[in-house]
Amino acid sequence: MENLLGLLRIHVKKGVNLAIRDISSSDPYVVVHSGKQKLKTRVVKHSLNPEWNDHLTLSVTDPNLPVKLTVYDYDFLSADDKMGEAEFNIATYLEAIKFRHTLEGGLPDGTIIMKIQPSRQNCLSEESHIVWNQGKLVQNMFLRLQHVECGELEIQLEWIDIPGSRGI
């Protein structure tokens, strides 16, 4: 990939208060789309509050391309049911990443570098923080699922530089 900027590792931590799509529960999994890339978590059986703790890695060539997460209920004998979706942009996170070299060595773990407020332009359910943690900048997010009666996803973003890539 000649236009590769780097890799975005998405830690899909958990779902909270997801919608019921089977008789009394659901078997949720998350599909992550960005451009032509598609990745998915494992299925967690019988849970409305699943803990995936799955790490999915996207190749980033366009910093303005949104990342879309769709939650599905796995069904063995029929098509999987949609349980909501959320979308986020990585441009603000990548802006913070550009300045990380000026932060190295001088900040304690847990230092908040930037805060992003929930708005009508994003799916954040609460304030998102870009945090200095173990020598890296990570962004923690709680995303409210759309087109569904309830549910949120907790994720964390981490940037991975690739030697020889274009960089950001």
Side-chain angles (χ1 to χ4, degrees), residues 89-137:
N89 291 307
I90 61 170
T92 303
Y93 176 61
L94 294 183
E95 284 300 313
I97 292 293
K98 285 181 185 178
F99 298 103
R100 73 176 175 262
H101 63 278
T102 62
L103 307 173
E104 292 175 355
L107 294 176
D109 280 355
T111 301
I112 297 172
I113 305 303
M114 189 180 291
K115 298 177 181 179
I116 297 108
Q117 299 297 322
S119 72
R120 291 187 175 170
Q121 284 73 45
N122 63 41
C123 292
L124 294 172
S125 60
E126 60 184 58
E127 186 175 79
S128 175
H129 296 159
I130 298 175
V131 178
W132 185 257
N133 188 24
Q134 298 178 347
K136 301 174 189 168
L137 279 177

Side-chain angles (χ1 to χ4, degrees), residues 19-160:
I20 296 172
R21 288 295 181 260
D22 293 333
I23 294 169
S24 62
S25 190
S26 292
D27 305 314
Y29 65 95
V30 178
V31 175
V32 177
H33 280 102
S34 184
K36 295 179 180 179
Q37 298 175 84
K38 179 180 174 181
L39 304 166
K40 71 180 204 174
T41 66
R42 63 190 168 82
V43 174
V44 175
K45 296 283 189 181
H46 313 295
S47 182
L48 300 178
N49 297 291
E51 293 195 20
W52 291 285
N53 281 316
D54 285 357
H55 292 86
L56 307 174
T57 305
L58 293 171
S59 300
V60 177
T61 55
D62 182 351
N64 299 310
L65 206 58
V67 178
K68 183 176 180 180
L69 295 94
T70 307
V71 182
Y72 291 95
D73 170 47
Y74 172 78
D75 288 320
F76 182 68
L77 297 174
S78 62
D80 294 351
D81 302 311
K82 195 181 262 193
M83 297 174 66
E85 59 193 20
E87 189 173 283
F88 64 90
N89 291 307
I90 61 170
T92 303
Y93 176 61
L94 294 183
E95 284 300 313
I97 292 293
K98 285 181 185 178
F99 298 103
R100 73 176 175 262
H101 63 278
T102 62
L103 307 173
E104 292 175 355
L107 294 176
D109 280 355
T111 301
I112 297 172
I113 305 303
M114 189 180 291
K115 298 177 181 179
I116 297 108
Q117 299 297 322
S119 72
R120 291 187 175 170
Q121 284 73 45
N122 63 41
C123 292
L124 294 172
S125 60
E126 60 184 58
E127 186 175 79
S128 175
H129 296 159
I130 298 175
V131 178
W132 185 257
N133 188 24
Q134 298 178 347
K136 301 174 189 168
L137 279 177
V138 297
Q139 182 174 357
N140 300 303
M141 290 190 220
F142 286 91
L143 300 169
R144 180 172 289 116
L145 295 176
Q146 299 178 320
H147 313 296
V148 68
E149 58 271 25
C150 58
E152 294 182 1
L153 291 177
E154 181 182 355
I155 66 170
Q156 183 181 70
L157 306 181
E158 178 187 337
W159 184 254
I160 301 169

